[in-house]
Amino acid sequence: MAKLYFYYASMNAGKSSTLLQAAFNYGERDMRVSLWTAAIDDRPGFGAISSRIGLASDAHRFQADTDIAGRVLEEHEEAELACVLVDEAQFLTREQVWQLAGLADRHGIPVVCYGLRTDFQGELFPGSAALLGIADALVELKAVCHCGRKATMNLRVDASGKAVKQGAQTEIGGNDRYVALCRKHFTQALQ
């Protein structure tokens, strides 16, 4: 039976590289996968899933109104898919998460989502909240804080490296805008 998986972590835990490794492994067995990422990311490599260690692949792009299940099923009809891999899953809507669950439940296509659990204020993203609620399997990937403890939080910083306490939930950025920290150092940075 196909399942819906959610691999979650803070920034810099290797979510995208783990996804790309999974895609590579399927490809080595001549199995097709459907790759997806959020259209909101307009940094260099837009439309591609890319990792900090240099791995990259093109991908379908989803927005809040994208019928992911419909597009995956069209792709599946052309040639059987072994798996659907979704990067930046925190940007999925609740409805899209249920669409992905339907792909697993009704169509037997495994779906593996990768994303952040919480934003820079420690709040769940809507897509992450839905995945934490209904995924068949939850897997936490580990990042490391500068103190050596597990990093679970994403601190947003300004251009001078100072903590940002308020703002929109979604602001795209990499190491220039976010630092993965343990809860203790995250809390200290916000004081």
Side-chain angles (χ1 to χ4, degrees):
M1 176 175 184
K3 292 182 179 182
L4 173 61
Y5 300 84
F6 182 36
Y7 285 72
Y8 64 92
S10 64
M11 301 282 290
N12 297 321
K15 296 176 299 296
S16 297
S17 58
T18 301
L19 179 153
L20 292 167
Q21 180 65 52
F24 176 82
N25 291 346
Y26 278 105
E28 284 280 296
R29 304 288 179 262
D30 291 324
M31 301 169 88
R32 291 188 64 240
V33 297
S34 182
L35 298 175
W36 289 82
T37 192
I40 193 170
D41 191 344
D42 60 358
R43 292 176 293 171
F46 171 70
I49 298 171
S50 59
S51 70
R52 287 175 176 78
I53 62 171
L55 303 173
S57 180
D58 197 14
H60 301 288
R61 299 134 185 98
F62 67 84
Q63 297 179 16
D65 61 351
T66 302
D67 177 5
I68 297 173
R71 296 204 23 216
V72 166
L73 290 174
E74 288 173 7
E75 195 176 358
H76 188 61
E77 285 178 18
E78 292 176 19
E80 184 177 341
L81 292 172
C83 187
V84 175
L85 301 169
V86 182
D87 200 23
E88 305 291 354
Q90 70 270 13
F91 297 127
L92 293 165
T93 65
R94 182 171 181 75
E95 294 77 21
Q96 288 169 327
V97 171
W98 279 99
Q99 287 178 15
L100 296 171
L103 290 172
D105 297 344
R106 290 188 296 279
H107 301 284
I109 305 170
V111 178
V112 188
C113 297
Y114 299 81
L116 299 173
R117 182 179 58 160
T118 59
D119 66 14
F120 76 107
Q121 294 177 318
E123 299 293 329
L124 291 171
F125 283 96
S128 301
L131 285 161
L132 288 167
I134 71 167
D136 297 298
L138 301 172
V139 180
E140 183 180 26
L141 299 175
K142 308 289 191 291
V144 180
C145 180
H146 62 80
C147 70
R149 293 177 58 192
K150 178 175 72 170
T152 58
M153 310 300 290
N154 303 301
L155 180 71
R156 184 182 290 169
V157 295
D158 62 18
S160 64
K162 295 196 184 326
V164 175
K165 298 177 184 178
Q166 296 183 359
Q169 183 177 47
T170 301
E171 185 175 311
I172 301 302
N175 292 341
D176 59 324
R177 296 292 300 159
Y178 294 93
V179 179
L181 297 173
C182 67
R183 186 178 59 242
K184 175 184 173 184
H185 287 111
F186 173 82
T187 304
Q188 287 176 351
L190 293 175
Q191 293 177 350

